[in-house]
Amino acid sequence: MNIIVCIKQVPDAKDVRLDPKTNTMAREGVESIMNPFDRHALEEAVRLKEQHGGKVTVISMGPPQAEAVLREAVSCGADEAVLVSDRAFAGADTWATTYTLGKAIEKVGEFDLVICGKQAIDGDTAQVGPGLARRLDIPYVSYVRKITDFLNGAVRLHRLMDDGYDEIEMPLPGLLTVVKEINDPRIPSLKGKMKAKKLVIQTFSAEDIEADPKQIGLSGSTTQVVKVFAPQFKGERAMLEGTVDEQVEQLLEKIEPIL
Amino acid sequence: MLKIDIEACIGCGVCVETCTYDAIELIDDVAVVNEKCNLCGSCVDTCEVEALSIEREEKDVQADLAEWSGIMIFAEYRHGKVAPVSFELLGIGRQLGDQQKAPLSAVLLGSGLGDAAKDLIAYGADAVYQVDDPALEYFTDEAYGNILEDVIREQKPEVVLAGATAIGRSFIPLVATSLATGLTADCTELAIRSEDGVLLQTRPAFGGNIMATIECPYTRPQMATVRPRVMKTAPYDANRGGEIINYQPKPERMQSRVKVLKNVLEEQDQVNITEGDIIVSGGRGLDNEKGFDLIKQLADAVGGAVGASRAAVDSQWISYPHQVGQTGKTVNPKLYIACGISGAIQHVVGMQSSETIVAINKDPDAPIFDVATFGIVGDLFEVVPKLIEKIKENRGE
Ligand SMILES: Cc1cc2nc3c(=O)[nH]c(=O)nc-3n(C[C@H](O)[C@H](O)[C@H](O)COP(=O)(O)OP(=O)(O)OC[C@H]3O[C@@H](n4cnc5c(N)ncnc54)[C@H](O)[C@@H]3O)c2cc1C
Ligand SMILES: Nc1ncnc2c1ncn2[C@@H]1O[C@H](COP(=O)(O)O)[C@@H](O)[C@H]1O
């Protein structure tokens, strides 16, 4: 059972805010963290490995400092780590990202399962998982909230829908994206931390994965951000006054037209 | 690489503040970029002296770019109904189509579609490509994706829109990747620039803390998923004319490696928080699972869905599909009633675009009041039962 987990290092979104007046980022030391959904992807992979044997390889495309999240992943149970890093990858949109990750995974070799987070909290696109599955020409299921059975050559799972869930069977190799409900990620073990410290992280450059320069980074991107601005907040902070009865009356008057 | 014109730079530091990635520093009063730069471009726009630029290689433009025209939407059909977001897509699609003087079409896939195609026409579609086949009874990414891809290749629309739902956000990336074109997720604003027909796609990023406008200049179609409940539905006109085309996919294109064994609906009325007009949400202030019954009663009384903060979900008072926020769902109903929720930023980003927000919290300093339209400082165990009682009273129950 070889499982690959895709992990992204992201700025902690709660710290990121644009000042609506100056349109500048009110950034008080934005921390870089492991994308929260990817933690759940990793945990699920490590659990599957513990039950069925095999190996978990974590892979991240990013700048050199993304190594930190890979080491963190190893301290939480991953066996091997690959950093896909090259200046030429900068500016990648999801199209260029899936191309690059796809090439890197092909170089890593045989696998049974790829697990991604539902989405990365910087771009919130949720496009990399499905796009990557297409690049690797494998089936995929998004928004997985539970793996129920691991059969020979297939996996059964529950996929979250807007109004409930689907019970699904997917043949292997395949790709999953997971929601946080799937598990409670563990904290790093002492042994894991030791291992993470010592582990040599493999680094793949654009040349190593034989990437076509026209498909990667900014030049490989199909989309382009042309403007960034602060959202408008509507909060009017109208606090209702009076006794509870009076407040409830006032509120109902205000919201009656919507009800 | 980000280029900084040292002559032009006045060392004001605005770009340093703007960069989410900590990639620009001021050294000797000029901006210097470091290796953390990922060319996102946020800073370029904010530089008042235009000292920043990103050099792009001239990209190959798709050869047949000019041949693509018209707007196409994916009409989501489940459990015998067209999802409301599809009509909203027709609303914005009609607007964009009229501007481009180009037709608006819809692709409708499923089994037992009935008169759904006629409804799509009444709501603004000029043509509906439908496939009504038992093989499409359950949604699968591959079958739906393959068919949509084939229709797009044949019809060559310049813009393709789908709802940013659990279905749309899952299979549209497959279609876009297959077509080798760009895709923008979860848009809240769309407009076409008349000079060159480029679709300006605006969407929240960083959990709603910033907005970004995105273009797909070199390839067609320009694809976007659109957040439900943001666009306006066009008026229904039963007399509108339109064409229904029974599209015949190749049998192998209707197959899927992934098999759906069963489709389970959950507490249908109260769980579909992404599409309802009203959401009543509860948080840790409810104290326990029993407390949550109060939320359900209020939701029943106002005909709304039930939402929850992560604290309530983590305490297992309610299931995860109800969670609103950064790691749950993003919602924007007409009315959002937050009871016993403090308003942590991770919760707020998921509900701040609701039209009217009511907050009930006993702590007057709770941050939820900053985004609330109406706030009641008080004990929810006192306020909510009164509210339910009064609503029932007003209805003469
Ligand atoms: C990476 C990450 C992702 C997250 N994602 C999400 C997310 O998607 N959604 C989400 O909601 N949270 C999310 N959180 C958690 C978030 O930070 C908060 O912890 C959470 O929203 C708090 O929930 P709460 O408001 O119900 O609880 P609390 O913060 O404990 O607030 C309870 C409130 O109830 C009030 N109260 C108590 N008793 C009463 C009473 N009797 N009457 C009236 N008011 C009362 C209190 O005054 C208090 O304001 C995330 C956190 C992290 C780190
Ligand atoms: N640069 C990256 N390196 C590794 N994995 C990534 C990267 N970008 C995205 N992913 C994976 O794809 C998922 C969805 O990301 P996104 O489509 O960007 O929202 C994430 O949760 C990760 O598992």
Side-chain angles (χ1 to χ4, degrees):
Chain A
M1 201 44 209
N2 284 334
I3 307 176
I4 292 174
V5 181
C6 297
I7 294 185
K8 187 174 189 186
Q9 188 183 46
V10 293
D12 195 348
K14 75 171 192 300
D15 298 337
V16 178
R17 249 170 200 276
L18 274 179
D19 181 328
K21 283 190 211 86
T22 59
N23 230 11
T24 56
M25 200 80 59
R27 181 179 54 80
E28 285 155 42
V30 179
E31 242 185 293
S32 287
I33 56 168
M34 186 190 300
N35 180 37
F37 291 99
D38 302 352
R39 237 172 236 295
H40 297 274
L42 171 67
E43 176 64 29
E44 203 58 22
V46 173
R47 286 187 192 186
L48 287 172
K49 174 189 79 170
E50 284 164 354
Q51 284 165 25
H52 305 279
K55 187 176 79 175
V56 174
T57 305
V58 283
I59 182 162
S60 185
M61 179 186 93
Q65 62 270 22
E67 194 191 294
V69 292
L70 291 174
R71 288 205 192 275
E72 192 182 343
V74 170
S75 72
C76 294
D79 302 287
E80 281 173 28
V82 176
L83 178 65
V84 190
S85 191
D86 197 308
R87 294 217 108 154
F89 295 144
D93 71 351
T94 57
W95 160 264
T97 300
T98 58
Y99 172 81
T100 308
L101 285 176
K103 282 289 206 183
I105 289 174
E106 274 164 19
K107 187 174 159 76
V108 168
E110 295 276 302
F111 62 87
D112 301 286
L113 195 59
V114 179
I115 311 184
C116 293
K118 172 185 110 166
Q119 67 192 47
I121 61 164
D122 51 357
D124 296 321
T125 81
Q127 286 169 189
V128 167
L132 179 58
R134 174 69 181 80
R135 299 284 192 177
L136 297 168
D137 191 21
I138 53 174
Y140 70 94
V141 181
S142 319
Y143 305 128
V144 173
R145 72 167 193 199
K146 191 174 178 183
I147 295 183
T148 53
D149 286 295
F150 223 85
L151 317 160
N152 207 2
V155 56
R156 287 222 173 134
L157 32 92
H158 291 182
R159 173 209 200 280
L160 200 59
M161 298 293 272
D162 287 325
D163 48 12
Y165 64 93
D166 282 354
E167 290 182 18
I168 284 178
E169 185 172 309
M170 181 183 79
L172 299 176
L175 179 144
L176 309 176
T177 80
V178 303
V179 297
K180 64 166 268 274
E181 196 192 15
I182 194 165
N183 56 41
D184 282 318
R186 69 193 70 190
I187 49 168
S189 67
L190 199 59
K191 214 172 114 206
K193 278 188 182 160
M194 301 286 287
K195 190 173 166 205
K197 223 184 223 165
K198 281 193 236 131
L199 188 85
V200 181
I201 291 181
Q202 300 178 66
T203 304
F204 293 173
S205 66
E207 204 179 314
D208 291 336
I209 59 170
E210 292 168 28
D212 171 0
K214 285 197 137 141
Q215 306 286 330
I216 58 173
L218 195 63
S219 34
S221 295
T222 49
T223 56
Q224 203 167 283
V225 178
V226 291
K227 198 170 130 201
V228 180
F229 57 101
Q232 303 294 316
F233 291 98
K234 281 183 276 189
E236 295 154 31
R237 211 185 157 101
M239 304 297 266
L240 303 179
E241 314 260 324
T243 64
V244 171
D245 277 289
E246 286 163 4
Q247 294 194 40
V248 168
E249 283 289 348
Q250 290 172 44
L251 179 64
L252 274 179
E253 238 166 69
K254 309 259 193 210
I255 64 174
E256 198 67 73
I258 318 173
L259 296 181
Chain B
M1 188 69 196
L2 178 70
K3 261 189 63 178
I4 301 178
D5 181 346
I6 315 176
E7 301 294 309
C9 178
I10 53 169
C12 68
V14 168
C15 54
V16 179
E17 295 279 303
T18 306
C19 179
T20 332
Y21 295 93
D22 222 355
I24 311 178
E25 299 155 76
L26 276 189
I27 299 178
D28 295 334
D29 281 340
V30 284
V32 177
V33 60
N34 64 34
E35 77 290 344
K36 291 181 189 168
C37 174
N38 85 347
L39 297 179
C40 76
S42 317
C43 55
V44 175
D45 226 30
T46 57
C47 179
E48 280 175 26
V49 293
E50 293 179 17
L52 304 175
S53 59
I54 290 179
E55 285 193 340
R56 291 170 202 277
E57 277 175 55
E58 272 305 302
K59 240 186 106 94
D60 300 340
V61 173
Q62 191 178 320
D64 63 352
L65 203 73
E67 288 166 34
W68 295 71
S69 89
I71 315 293
M72 181 177 277
I73 68 123
F74 170 72
E76 190 170 317
Y77 187 82
R78 46 188 154 101
H79 309 304
K81 269 201 336 234
V82 176
V85 67
S86 311
F87 301 127
E88 296 160 19
L89 295 175
L90 288 172
I92 178 72
R94 191 71 263 167
Q95 224 175 300
L96 300 176
D98 290 348
Q99 185 189 335
Q100 292 294 89
K101 301 192 175 49
L104 169 64
S105 59
V107 176
L108 175 66
L109 309 177
S111 176
L113 295 173
D115 280 340
K118 284 191 188 146
D119 277 347
L120 294 171
I121 289 171
Y123 275 112
D126 298 312
V128 178
Y129 298 89
Q130 73 169 11
V131 184
D132 193 340
D133 194 297
L136 301 179
E137 183 184 350
Y138 293 129
F139 162 78
T140 59
D141 294 273
E142 281 179 306
Y144 277 55
N146 290 340
I147 298 172
L148 183 60
E149 178 193 337
D150 292 349
V151 177
I152 291 171
R153 281 191 198 279
E154 282 172 31
Q155 297 305 318
K156 298 195 165 185
E158 60 193 307
V159 170
V160 176
L161 307 176
T165 59
I167 287 177
R169 288 193 74 173
S170 179
F171 92 107
I172 298 295
L174 173 66
V175 178
T177 310
S178 297
L179 292 167
T181 194
L183 169 61
T184 307
D186 206 22
C187 296
T188 53
E189 222 183 294
L190 295 170
I192 287 180
R193 189 164 56 207
S194 26
E195 301 97 88
D196 54 4
V198 164
L199 184 69
L200 301 170
Q201 311 163 79
T202 300
R203 65 182 302 266
F206 286 101
N209 287 339
I210 66 173
M211 302 296 291
T213 302
I214 292 164
E215 292 177 4
C216 171
Y218 316 109
T219 53
R220 292 293 178 272
Q222 307 169 82
M223 299 184 70
T225 60
V226 180
R227 186 177 286 186
R229 310 195 43 81
V230 173
M231 304 298 172
K232 291 227 164 13
T233 305
Y236 181 88
D237 174 2
N239 296 321
R240 260 189 65 88
E243 196 186 352
I244 299 175
I245 300 114
N246 281 305
Y247 181 80
Q248 306 277 344
K250 294 190 190 75
E252 72 271 17
R253 299 294 275 170
M254 278 203 278
Q255 275 160 18
S256 164
R257 288 174 284 189
V258 169
K259 301 273 178 273
V260 178
L261 309 172
K262 202 165 132 199
N263 186 231
V264 183
L265 287 178
E266 285 182 319
E267 310 155 57
Q268 213 184 343
D269 306 337
Q270 296 196 324
V271 75
N272 195 349
I273 55 174
T274 43
E275 277 172 10
D277 275 341
I278 301 178
I279 297 172
V280 182
S281 257
R284 184 144 38 205
L286 270 309
D287 269 350
N288 52 47
E289 205 172 335
K290 268 225 138 83
F292 231 90
D293 288 343
L294 205 53
I295 296 297
K296 291 178 185 157
Q297 285 166 26
L298 179 56
D300 262 342
V302 297
V306 173
S309 73
R310 171 160 158 185
V313 172
D314 284 352
S315 310
Q316 300 188 339
W317 301 341
I318 189 145
S319 63
Y320 172 68
H322 295 270
Q323 184 178 315
V324 172
Q326 185 189 302
T327 41
K329 288 181 181 154
T330 303
V331 299
N332 49 345
K334 290 207 177 100
L335 176 61
Y336 189 92
I337 306 180
C339 310
I341 293 177
S342 61
I345 180 70
Q346 296 92 345
H347 186 79
V348 167
V349 295
M351 47 65 79
Q352 65 194 9
S353 54
S354 308
E355 235 162 82
T356 300
I357 296 170
V358 174
I360 303 170
N361 195 309
K362 66 179 179 192
D363 172 9
D365 296 325
I368 190 74
F369 289 121
D370 293 337
V371 294
T373 329
F374 305 112
I376 294 185
V377 179
D379 185 346
L380 69 93
F381 291 103
E382 210 181 315
V383 177
V384 176
K386 280 248 164 63
L387 198 55
I388 297 172
E389 192 189 305
K390 286 256 161 64
I391 290 169
K392 289 190 171 161
E393 220 176 270
N394 290 357
R395 293 217 182 112
E397 278 174 33

